Amino acid sequence: MILAWLLAAVPAWAASDYPLPPAPAAVSTATTLGFSADHLDYDASSSTLHFQGHVRIVDSTRTIKAQELWLDTSRRSGRFQGTLLVEDGASAVAGQSGWFNFNDRTGVIEQASAGHGNWRIHARRARLSASRRLDYLSANFTSCDYVPPHYHFHASRVTIKPRRYLLALNTVFFLGPVPLLYLPILYEPLNLDHLLPLRFQLGYDRRNGALAKGTMIRRLDRWTYDKLYLDYYKSQGLGLGSELERRKGENRSVLYGYQIRETSTGKRRWTLIGDGYQTLRSSFSVQGRLQLQSDPAFNNDYSRSSLLRVTPELIDNGALVYRQKLYTMRLSYSRHATASDNQTQFVKDSEDAPRFDFQTAPLGAGRLPWLNTLTAFADNNYTAGRSFLQRSAGGGWEGTRVFVLGKGLSLTPKLDAGETWFDTYQQAADFASTDTYRDSFVGRYAASGDLRWSGRLGDWDLEHDYAVRLKPDSVSRDAGALDRGVETNLLSLRDLYRPSPAVLLRASSGYDFRTARDRSFGYSDRVQPVVGELDYAAGPSVNWSLRDDFQPGIGQRSVLGSLLYGREDRSYVSAAFGYTRAVSDRYGLDTSFALSNGSGTWRIAATLRSEFFAPGGPLGLAADRSRLFEKELILTKVWHDFFTRLLVRFRPGNVREAQLRVNLRFGHGRRAAPRRDWEAEWFPERATGDYDRP
């Protein structure tokens, strides 16, 4: 049944029937071919071998299976008739007929059908090259696994580089039998572990005009992926951005940047955010936070899913940390800036560049019963409103011990002492002047005691803190200062009570014993705010909390509450309300909900943020004096072949927008999606997936 043709091994008696074909001419690119078939005929006049039935040809890169083959041994080319299949380990192409040149490993397959990744292709003709590239002419292709498919593309030419990319020219998109869209070029990556297609989201916004947002995601390795943002706003121009996410073990980092030069204003607006932690060796690590932004209102115009509609402050810091068993050293930089009153820029408040810190672990000293901690620092500090950079260095000691007084009763005293050198030191002398000291030392000492009782009513802490500052270059208390040299003299009481695993209660208050030369302390100054907190968490789907801050002698300072029922990434209902004395004539109420089916193929989410005006307090609330200032609706539907999302948002700052995202789910079952849990650490708004980018 199986006949193997090896020119050097044909028996000698066969030569008496007909002459053997001459050996093929030596070609540098030629390779040994292995043949098998049910039947073989040889035509000496044309040097042609005719194989029939279960034909199988194997060379160094391809395996060809066919019903019938005519092989020209002089040219090393073959013509196939009937169903054939060509495999090379990276792709498989079937057809009805074809020819191959085994010297240069090229060929043509008529009426070709193939599969590449998640794509199925049917073409009038396929051309095979020695580099394994395939060109399909007049081709229909789809990634829908339904028969007939819900959608397909038709292209004049489709080029495939197996496991790398698909490139189609003169492409028409069909939904069913209906042509909907013409694309001169269509590119689709086939390396499913590294690149996701460019996804677009269309919309309209009152401020920015018609818009198109595009996102491309590339996986660099199993720990790292990046994103490219390509946006166009009709009223503002082109916006570009990028994001890098990496997490490997305890090491993690993110870097995000976006910029646009607005055509309407001519301003260049941008943001740059970074955060991360990286161990360098067993004892060294680097950590940092980067937050830069052109203006406070940037998020409200270009990053509207951010929880900070208007950025109130920028915090930047970085540190190189060296840890040993007995001590830790830290070299750091930090900067803080706040938004200006007109919300057009950020103003630097403080900067430490650089700062060095040293701290030991709690250490025993011989047979002494105390645990001792030693600290030291050096700093170069800028503070807004001060006309000079202040250099300082100092060291300190802290001693502490725990005394067990009885069952559930303990006392923890603590002593501190330290001294700091300043190149320039200023402090207020009276109501209108300051004293300046050069190259001076300022000492401080402190004492505190914490009496803790743990019982049925929770963990109660009664603590007294007393801290004294000394005169510059002196060991006596700075009694002539406005605060009489006493920086802290506070008695506080705290309680933490958990009556059940789902309920947690916290309460605290205190009394301030300080005196001052420039003012007197009244009842409301001495009695500290009474703060109470109640948290209830009955499993992952039920959570509510309440926090009340009451200042005796003044009144309510703030009230905050929140309620969550359900899962935020599926179906849930949440509400949050708040009041603060800084804006005493109004109360805020935020409500949101989402409804989703069990499979997650559709979801409706909405958010409402409102204000209620009540100058006379809660009893003065009036429905006609309220404002619904933010509204947001997100509709998501996942079809078999499509992902669709409609977002509608109204917000102060001239935000009136609607965005529609429709994406073909090319090979959605096998793609490695971006890690939402990674991103949510840096961007909490992405935890639910309700993000305004494709």
Side-chain angles (χ1 to χ4, degrees):
M1 177 180 177
I2 299 177
L3 176 63
W5 177 65
L6 298 172
L7 293 178
V10 176
W13 56 263
S16 62
D17 295 331
Y18 49 81
L20 293 176
V27 181
S28 60
T29 58
T31 58
T32 301
L33 301 178
F35 300 92
S36 65
D38 292 342
H39 183 76
L40 168 65
D41 291 322
Y42 175 64
D43 186 348
S45 63
S46 60
S47 300
T48 301
L49 289 171
H50 183 199
F51 297 86
Q52 294 179 329
H54 298 94
V55 180
R56 176 186 170 91
I57 305 174
V58 179
D59 69 2
S60 61
T61 58
R62 291 194 180 103
T63 298
I64 303 175
K65 300 176 182 179
Q67 291 299 314
E68 196 168 8
L69 163 65
W70 287 265
L71 175 66
D72 187 334
T73 59
S74 62
R75 295 184 175 87
R76 290 177 61 91
S77 62
R79 177 172 57 87
F80 294 85
Q81 191 64 38
T83 303
L84 74 151
L85 176 67
V86 181
E87 300 174 300
D88 62 4
S91 60
V93 184
Q96 298 302 313
S97 62
W99 65 264
F100 288 89
N101 187 320
F102 294 102
N103 282 331
D104 57 16
R105 300 190 183 94
T106 60
V108 171
I109 299 177
E110 303 291 346
Q111 303 301 316
S113 299
H116 299 280
N118 296 289
W119 293 94
R120 293 184 291 117
I121 301 178
H122 302 280
R124 177 175 56 85
R125 175 177 295 171
R127 295 175 179 170
L128 288 72
S129 70
S131 63
R132 297 189 178 183
R133 192 188 75 179
L134 299 102
D135 294 302
Y136 296 91
L137 306 181
S138 186
N140 294 320
F141 57 102
T142 182
S143 64
C144 178
D145 53 11
Y146 275 41
V147 180
H150 293 149
Y151 77 93
H152 73 275
F153 294 92
H154 178 80
S156 61
R157 184 188 187 100
V158 177
T159 298
I160 297 288
K161 195 69 173 177
R163 298 177 181 171
R164 292 181 60 186
Y165 64 82
L166 176 154
L167 179 64
L169 304 178
N170 297 319
T171 307
V172 179
F173 172 71
F174 286 81
L175 186 61
V178 181
L180 294 181
L181 181 65
Y182 171 75
L183 299 169
I185 298 176
L186 174 65
Y187 175 85
E188 173 68 11
L190 298 179
N191 190 337
L192 301 181
D193 293 331
H194 288 77
L195 194 63
L196 296 182
L198 183 63
R199 297 172 174 173
F200 283 102
Q201 183 166 299
L202 305 178
Y204 176 81
D205 174 52
R206 176 181 293 182
R207 180 187 184 276
N208 299 326
L211 58 93
K213 293 183 177 181
T215 302
M216 179 178 285
I217 304 172
R218 181 178 57 168
R219 185 168 293 280
L220 304 178
D221 54 42
R222 58 186 294 192
W223 307 286
T224 313
Y225 65 88
D226 64 5
K227 297 182 180 181
L228 174 66
Y229 300 133
L230 177 63
D231 302 338
Y232 176 76
Y233 303 90
K234 183 178 180 181
S235 301
Q236 306 298 348
L238 184 66
L240 298 174
S242 184
E243 181 177 327
L244 178 68
E245 297 273 355
R246 178 173 174 81
R247 180 168 299 196
K248 184 178 181 181
E250 64 179 1
N251 299 324
R252 57 196 185 276
S253 59
V254 64
L255 182 63
Y256 166 80
Y258 190 91
Q259 73 89 29
I260 182 172
R261 183 175 292 278
E262 296 182 335
T263 56
S264 64
T265 64
K267 296 180 180 179
R268 182 174 175 269
R269 304 182 66 188
W270 53 273
T271 185
L272 183 62
I273 299 172
D275 212 327
Y277 174 82
Q278 177 71 41
T279 56
L280 301 180
R281 297 178 112 185
S282 59
S283 301
F284 283 95
S285 64
V286 176
Q287 58 192 61
R289 169 191 170 103
L290 176 67
Q291 187 182 17
L292 301 174
Q293 199 162 294
S294 59
D295 58 274
F298 176 88
N299 288 348
N300 201 43
D301 293 335
Y302 297 105
S303 185
R304 291 172 176 164
S305 290
S306 173
L307 299 181
L308 295 175
R309 276 51 170 164
V310 177
T311 307
E313 62 181 0
L314 299 179
I315 301 174
D316 299 273
N317 54 62
L320 174 65
V321 181
Y322 179 72
R323 288 187 176 90
Q324 288 293 323
K325 183 178 180 180
L326 298 180
Y327 64 89
T328 299
M329 293 189 294
R330 190 172 188 266
L331 182 64
S332 64
Y333 166 86
S334 63
R335 183 181 187 273
H336 182 267
T338 56
S340 60
D341 293 337
N342 58 6
Q343 300 293 309
T344 59
Q345 60 181 339
F346 291 94
V347 180
K348 182 170 67 173
D349 287 339
S350 63
E351 184 178 41
D352 293 282
R355 179 183 174 95
F356 173 78
D357 290 275
F358 171 87
Q359 180 174 328
T360 68
L363 304 173
R367 296 184 178 181
L368 293 177
W370 298 83
L371 288 177
N372 304 273
T373 303
L374 302 178
T375 60
F377 79 95
D379 191 16
N380 184 44
N381 174 262
Y382 163 84
T383 299
R386 196 168 57 194
S387 60
F388 58 90
L389 288 175
Q390 187 179 69
R391 295 179 176 86
S392 59
W397 164 85
E398 176 187 288
T400 184
R401 183 184 177 185
V402 178
F403 294 91
V404 178
L405 306 179
K407 183 179 179 180
L409 185 64
S410 65
L411 175 65
T412 306
K414 184 186 298 183
L415 296 176
D416 291 88
E419 190 160 19
T420 303
W421 169 84
F422 297 94
D423 66 338
T424 304
Y425 177 74
Q426 287 183 340
Q427 69 176 21
D430 51 36
F431 304 105
S433 63
T434 59
D435 291 332
T436 301
Y437 301 88
R438 307 286 184 183
D439 197 19
S440 60
F441 289 84
V442 177
R444 287 178 170 83
Y445 65 85
S448 65
D450 182 6
L451 181 65
R452 167 168 289 191
W453 176 68
S454 299
R456 294 184 177 181
L457 297 180
D459 296 330
W460 290 83
D461 288 276
L462 180 64
E463 184 174 0
H464 184 238
D465 295 287
Y466 182 77
V468 171
R469 184 185 64 255
L470 306 181
K471 287 182 180 181
D473 300 320
S474 173
V475 294
S476 61
R477 180 167 61 91
D478 193 5
L482 295 181
D483 61 358
R484 303 184 188 277
V486 179
E487 296 182 333
T488 305
N489 191 2
L490 179 66
L491 179 68
S492 59
L493 179 65
R494 300 183 302 274
D495 180 34
L496 188 150
Y497 177 46
R498 188 180 287 277
S500 72
V503 179
L504 178 64
L505 295 168
R506 287 185 291 263
S508 64
S509 187
Y511 190 87
D512 193 343
F513 291 95
R514 290 180 302 164
T515 60
R517 294 175 53 234
D518 59 336
R519 66 188 182 98
S520 60
F521 286 80
Y523 173 75
S524 59
D525 298 316
R526 295 200 177 279
V527 179
Q528 300 301 292
V530 179
V531 179
E533 298 180 55
L534 170 61
D535 293 319
Y536 177 80
S541 60
V542 179
N543 190 303
W544 59 271
S545 63
L546 178 66
R547 185 182 190 276
D548 181 78
D549 187 329
F550 179 81
Q551 176 67 63
I554 295 179
Q556 211 74 44
R557 297 205 312 174
S558 66
V559 180
L560 301 173
S562 65
L563 169 67
L564 171 65
Y565 178 77
R567 290 178 50 185
E568 289 186 289
D569 60 339
R570 289 295 180 91
S571 299
Y572 76 95
V573 176
S574 72
F577 65 90
Y579 163 83
T580 176
R581 191 173 184 82
V583 190
S584 59
D585 64 339
R586 66 195 66 181
Y587 296 80
L589 176 63
D590 296 349
T591 57
S592 61
F593 79 91
L595 183 63
S596 172
N597 64 344
S599 61
T601 56
W602 63 264
R603 188 170 186 266
I604 303 173
T607 300
L608 300 174
R609 293 183 171 88
S610 54
E611 286 183 330
F612 297 88
F613 296 87
L619 298 179
L621 285 175
D624 59 344
R625 299 202 62 195
S626 62
R627 181 171 73 108
L628 186 62
F629 63 88
E630 184 170 333
K631 302 170 282 291
E632 183 174 299
L633 176 66
I634 300 177
L635 305 177
T636 303
K637 180 69 173 76
V638 180
W639 311 83
H640 175 255
D641 298 304
F642 297 91
F643 176 90
T644 58
R645 173 176 291 166
L646 174 65
L647 182 149
V648 181
R649 179 185 288 142
F650 299 89
R651 185 191 295 174
N654 203 26
V655 177
R656 303 288 188 275
E657 69 173 336
Q659 296 187 37
L660 176 63
R661 172 183 167 189
V662 179
N663 291 127
L664 282 171
R665 305 177 68 209
F666 295 149
H668 58 276
R670 292 177 54 190
R671 295 193 185 281
R675 295 291 301 270
R676 186 184 299 173
D677 55 334
W678 292 11
E679 298 181 14
E681 179 178 355
W682 320 112
F683 308 100
E685 63 273 10
R686 302 185 190 179
T688 63
D690 295 332
Y691 183 41
D692 61 358
R693 291 207 61 88

